[in-house]
Amino acid sequence: MTADRLTILHVYPRQMGVSGDRGNVVALTRRADAADIPTEVLEYAPGDALPTAADVVVIGNGPLSAMRSLGDDVARIGAPLREFAAAGVPVVAVGGGFDLATNEIVPTDGSPLAGFGVFDARAVRGAERRVNYFVLETRYPLLPGAAKRLAGFEDHATRIELGAGVTPFADVVSGGGNQAGSAVEGAITGTSFGTHTQGPLLPLNPDLTDAVLAAATARVGREYAPDTERTATIDRYAREARATVDRYVDKAFKRIA
């Protein structure tokens, strides 16, 4: 955080941004603004010089074809992204971006692809296709008093195999999740998390957005205090959207053969 400005690094917004993932970036900037914290958004494209500093990193959803096209660049920036996460910078990886942030993506055909290695896990394609509303109880540390229940949308056919001792991002209330034996979803390392929860995730779940911002600001010695009066309208929209998910989660289709 330089000159009281929070830097949000959006990695591959064109290639890995097919599910409204800019909404996650917008949620971070709007809620930070409501807490009187200025932000700067940097977009990273393949071949660019990766910024040497960031306060939050966002990686969105994208198809396997995009991941294959990014192979050399993924190898080039993997180490710096791992260093960000190790230094306490929250890395938020969603959908295919979560797959890309694991150690390895194993497709149904062709050679495995190396990932960023932010999360000690691998993403194995060819699991049952899950397409449905998604309800979770997160294990990510939230602010005191925040509800742990999250809502979103799930659309993937990936099995996430977590390394030994890796904490899942959430316990599954309704949905498929990692599809690796236990009813869990995603992964956490430090203040970073990966998940297949789309929607987009952060606008639907303001308490999670606040937790990411709190982690980012605490790292540089500043307190994050959300202003509930200034966020009341968007919080109400998110609350109503989550209520809709809860209402219909058991009435929608759950899988595609």
Side-chain angles (χ1 to χ4, degrees), residues 152-169:
F153 194 81
E154 179 183 33
D155 181 3
H156 70 99
T158 302
R159 182 176 75 254
I160 297 293
E161 299 175 351
L162 300 179
V166 175
T167 300
F169 170 66

Side-chain angles (χ1 to χ4, degrees), residues 54-57 81-91 140 189-192 212 214-220:
D55 299 298
V56 183
V57 177
L81 291 183
R82 291 193 297 273
E83 290 171 6
F84 280 149
V89 174
V91 176
Y140 191 79
T189 181
T191 60
S192 301
V212 172
T217 51
R219 177 176 165 270
V220 293

Side-chain angles (χ1 to χ4, degrees), residues 29-81:
T29 61
R30 295 288 176 85
R31 294 190 80 78
D33 180 66
D36 294 321
I37 298 175
T39 58
E40 176 185 24
V41 176
L42 302 179
E43 295 190 349
Y44 173 80
D48 288 352
L50 189 74
T52 58
D55 299 298
V56 183
V57 177
V58 177
I59 311 168
N61 187 36
L64 183 61
S65 58
M67 296 183 214
R68 282 179 165 144
S69 73
L70 295 167
D72 291 342
D73 200 73
V74 170
R76 185 173 68 88
I77 69 170
L81 291 183

